Amino acid sequence: MSDPETDDVLEALAGLPTLAHPTASPDGTEVAFYYDGSGRNELHVLDVESGEHERWSDGEVPRNARWFLEWGADGDRVFFHRDEGGDEQNDVYAIGREGEVEPVVEMDGQVQIMDVGEDGETLLVGSTRDGQMNLYGHDLASGETAKLTDYERAVWTGLLSPDGDRLAFTTNEADDFENMDVYVSGADGSDPRNLDVGETGAETGAVEWGPDGDRLLLTDNSTDIPRSGVYDVERESVTWYGGEFVEAPQCFLPDGDRFLALRTREASKVPVVYDAESGDSRELDLPDGVAGFGRAGDNLLADGRILLTHTTPTRRPSLLAYDLATDETETLLEAEYGPFSPEDFADAEYFTVESDGVPETRQAAVEHDPYETLEIGALLYDSGERPSPLVVNPHGGPRGMDAKSFDLYTQFLAQRGYSVLQVNYRGSTGRGREFVRALYDDWGGAEQGDVATAAERVLDDREWVDDERVAVFGGSYGGYSAYWQLVQYPDLYDAGVAWIGLTDLAEMYETTMPHFRTELMEKNLGTPEENPDLYRERSPVEYVENLAAPLFVLHGVNDRRVPVSQARLFRDALAEAGYSQGADGDFEYEELGEEGHASSDIDQKIRLFRLLGDFLERRIGVEAAAADD
């Protein structure tokens, strides 16, 4: 039976208005963004000078704010992605100032906006219409769409030069699955030329053309630590910057002689401005936390200031304008807190643990010798409950990372009395190429040991954590981790929630979208034909008989990244192995209708929070512990 007071807190948290994808207009006087202050995701436009914002849409944009926005070249309309029920099989639509909406590019498969021509005539998109993700040029006047590239592996980051005569993009033609290269071709895709600026096996990507079209901003990890590069098109040479910290280039500044990058330091992200001529850099003056930018070229305001977001573990994202000359910031859109304040939220403690990938409580069905011992970073959120149940929350990706930003799911759990542990296991971003490569050919190996080892450290060092009330909860690759932790380390956990997670890797390879097949599965694991034993051995569905704690399986029915068949296969295997299903059984199962690979929609977040909170409360929560006593 639900508690009205608890439900009020849940709905208040899930209903906090959220800002997504702030995007500066071509002239820098306005900012388009998604915002759900009305209770539903809608498109808003802010006037930078007045600080006022108005809503352009009225239910025409997606409920889930996953996909970014792009302005038309004339600044009178905004392009957005629209799908059906979160299935990510996007088409491209446009909305104007008076709320008029029209389809722009409609094709089978997934369509992603890549770039908008400065002349207002061309929209560059990526699409899986013919199978793999390739580039297409759409003539906005005639409505005709032409295929520009035809590669076997996915094409990413298509960029039109300022004069519209050239195209820069990123793809891989090498035998090495890990490789990525930057190409420049004619605007119609003709005569593509590999710039050949990164070593084979490294990932080199195009970020943005310089304002005069004579330079390209690049990213590259040939030297392990991701760095920025400026490629001189005429001289066919590149200058590299950084190398001490993991950095991701963002965009050129209007003078073309400086550019912005985002630097990772432990679990924080800070903006950096580089002088391309001298190589000098300086960090922007912002509090410890996580800064964020929009897409390249969409971060510049008319008055020369930089558009960015900033957040900390206890402060929700705010939209800021940053003056590089004075280091002063202006808040363009304040974060809303409703009945809460930042002091109500749990802060993050960053710590590290030495891990060889084999935790002490190891009960693995797949045998592993110890791996290389690495320093693994983690974040611990103390709910204040004593004793406190613990939720281990592995991130997705797997090339994601947990950082010092406001996380609604973490704060929801903390409000309910659960402390939360997040682990940046080997394979996470933020530590360099070699740290990422440690996960290749080893899903379900050392990275899962890193998660379990960090959990053991918390249980050993924090006496206030209740070692008899430990759960694991994750989504996407974090959902894979939740399954894997439960069937490989059953002595460690008392409950688990696997949300939109992978269970059968060979079936996942066959059913996911083509660009996820090549860029996620093949890059990390090869193909099932090449490595059948690996695909089988690292699939959680192979070890259902090891499950020893209550499991809740949650999955969106419209998920095209990790199809719902992954959940159904695990459910059926559990039933076949004799496990009982139901609120008092060995496992519970819920398919989320009208939802794909997670959702930012308020009503859908409330639904998930209710399901998650109810399961954890019955299985390991404060009331459950009191009942046991």
Side-chain angles (χ1 to χ4, degrees), residues 448-605:
Q448 297 300 323
D450 295 340
V451 174
T453 296
E456 289 176 343
R457 170 64 65 83
V458 170
L459 295 173
D460 289 343
D461 293 354
R462 275 74 171 182
E463 294 181 356
W464 46 267
V465 174
D466 188 343
D467 61 5
E468 294 185 356
R469 289 187 293 155
V470 181
V472 59
F473 159 59
S476 193
Y477 194 83
Y480 170 84
S481 295
Y483 284 117
W484 195 258
Q485 292 286 312
L486 289 167
V487 299
Q488 295 298 303
Y489 314 116
D491 290 354
L492 187 57
Y493 297 101
D494 304 287
V497 181
W499 176 37
I500 52 178
L502 297 73
T503 69
D504 185 319
L505 299 183
E507 202 268 350
M508 170 73 178
Y509 182 89
E510 296 299 329
T511 58
T512 190
M513 289 185 281
H515 46 305
F516 284 96
R517 182 180 305 128
T518 56
E519 301 309 307
L520 178 66
M521 307 297 290
E522 291 182 0
K523 177 174 281 191
N524 284 274
L525 301 169
T527 69
E529 291 76 21
E530 294 169 331
N531 299 314
D533 291 343
L534 180 64
Y535 269 76
R536 184 181 65 258
E537 290 172 0
R538 303 306 171 87
S539 292
V541 73
E542 296 288 327
Y543 309 102
V544 293
E545 71 279 0
N546 290 351
L547 185 69
L551 166 66
F552 194 8
V553 176
L554 285 160
H555 216 108
V557 296
N558 294 332
D559 194 341
R560 297 295 294 269
R561 298 189 184 206
V562 183
V564 69
S565 56
Q566 293 287 299
R568 293 170 179 171
L569 286 166
F570 203 85
R571 175 199 61 191
D572 295 346
L574 285 171
E576 186 176 341
Y579 288 91
S580 61
Q581 180 178 344
D584 297 321
D586 301 312
F587 73 98
E588 301 173 41
Y589 184 89
E590 187 83 20
E591 293 185 2
L592 306 175
E594 298 184 17
E595 187 170 326
H597 199 67
S599 176
S600 65
D601 177 72
I602 289 175
D603 288 341
Q604 291 174 339
K605 285 188 293 189

Side-chain angles (χ1 to χ4, degrees), residues 19 120 148 151 242 315 323 386 397 487 557:
L19 161 81
L148 306 180
Y151 291 93
R315 292 189 174 274
D323 190 321
R386 295 295 182 268
V487 299
V557 296

Side-chain angles (χ1 to χ4, degrees), residues 67 87-90 108-112 114 126-134 151-156 171 177 180 508-509 511-524 560-561:
W67 288 88
D87 67 1
E88 296 188 83
Q89 302 305 285
N90 308 317
D108 291 338
Q110 185 181 85
V111 179
Q112 298 181 17
M114 293 290 183
S127 177
T128 60
R129 184 193 71 181
D130 298 336
Q132 186 55 274
M133 179 68 68
N134 271 284
Y151 291 93
E152 293 183 5
R153 301 216 184 105
V155 177
W156 304 102
T171 191
F177 286 130
M180 295 292 285
M508 170 73 178
Y509 182 89
T511 58
T512 190
M513 289 185 281
H515 46 305
F516 284 96
R517 182 180 305 128
T518 56
E519 301 309 307
L520 178 66
M521 307 297 290
E522 291 182 0
K523 177 174 281 191
N524 284 274
R560 297 295 294 269
R561 298 189 184 206

